[in-house]
């Protein structure tokens, strides 16, 4: 497994950054290669991606979600193997640190090469910066889910 760790500081209050991140169906607006995210229920999402000409579909399960603090997930089906967590830390009244850690298993020659050359790290860094631009342009979240999902 490979691990990516990236963070970005966004100029919005903690609750706004967290609430916007819970709007999974909006991820294609700032995540490169994500075509669609369908929220099945509070815990489950179905993803459709196109990265470097490779189309994939997979399902994820949220395994831990604590409002204004963290969201952790893992894949449950498809040929994508990953788990990760995004955490939120209040810097001050109007700034929040968003930190993403993801473990993934590259499959195939192209994905292994992308992993070795740092392409995956750069993509995730780019996604976080696009999230920053997205939420800062709006100045507020488009919605939010504040439920608690406890680890099993």
């Amino acid at each position: 497994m490979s691990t990516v760790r990236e963070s970005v500081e966004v100029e919005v209050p903690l609750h706004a950054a967290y609430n916007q991140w819970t709007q999974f169906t909006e991820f294609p607006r700032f995540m490169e290669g994500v075509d669609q995210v369908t929220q099945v229920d509070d815990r489950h999402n179905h993803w459709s991606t196109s990265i470097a000409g490779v189309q994939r579909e997979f399902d994820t399960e949220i395994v831990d979600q604590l409002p204004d603090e963290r969201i952790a997930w893992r894949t449950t089906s498809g040929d994508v193997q990953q788990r990760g967590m995004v955490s939120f830390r209040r810097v001050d009244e109007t700034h929040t640190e968003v930190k993403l850690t993801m473990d993934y298993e590259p499959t195939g020659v192209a994905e292994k090469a992308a992993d070795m050359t740092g392409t995956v790290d750069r993509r995730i860094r780019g996604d976080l910066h696009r999230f920053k631009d997205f939420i800062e342009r709006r100045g507020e979240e488009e919605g939010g889910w504040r439920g608690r999902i406890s680890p099993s």
Side-chain angles (χ1 to χ4, degrees):
M1 281 237 162
S2 294
T3 301
V4 175
R5 289 182 183 86
E6 293 291 342
S7 65
V8 67
E9 186 175 300
V10 297
E11 191 175 350
V12 296
L14 173 65
H15 72 276
Y18 173 85
N19 285 348
Q20 185 61 54
W21 199 276
T22 67
Q23 302 303 292
F24 304 111
T25 59
E26 298 302 315
F27 281 11
R29 294 175 71 183
F30 59 85
M31 286 189 172
E32 187 179 352
V34 175
D35 299 325
Q36 183 176 21
V37 179
T38 304
Q39 190 160 2
V40 178
D41 59 31
D42 292 343
R43 280 187 178 264
H44 300 94
N45 293 297
H46 179 78
W47 294 67
S48 298
T49 63
S50 300
I51 299 173
V54 177
Q55 294 186 332
R56 304 219 176 192
E57 292 199 21
F58 58 95
D59 296 310
T60 58
E61 175 186 29
I62 297 171
V63 295
D64 185 15
Q65 184 167 345
L66 181 60
D68 292 339
E69 191 172 311
R70 68 181 172 271
I71 301 169
W73 74 92
R74 67 181 179 94
T75 54
T76 59
S77 71
D79 58 355
V80 174
Q81 294 181 29
Q82 63 172 246
R83 64 178 178 256
M85 182 171 65
V86 61
S87 61
F88 304 84
R89 184 182 63 82
R90 179 184 181 272
V91 175
D92 60 32
E93 290 293 319
T94 59
H95 294 84
T96 303
E97 178 188 44
V98 180
K99 183 177 181 179
L100 187 135
T101 303
M102 187 172 77
D103 298 321
Y104 64 96
E105 188 66 48
T107 58
V109 175
E111 286 182 14
K112 288 178 182 177
D115 180 42
M116 291 178 67
T117 61
T119 302
V120 176
D121 297 52
R122 286 189 300 279
R123 177 174 296 248
I124 290 174
R125 184 178 316 116
D127 288 345
L128 284 177
H129 283 278
R130 284 185 290 278
F131 174 75
K132 172 184 173 62
D133 293 342
F134 178 78
I135 188 68
E136 287 179 356
R137 266 196 310 269
R138 291 192 48 80
E140 63 185 14
E141 67 273 31
E142 294 180 312
W145 189 77
R146 312 254 339 141
R148 171 72 167 120
I149 295 175
S150 297
S152 303

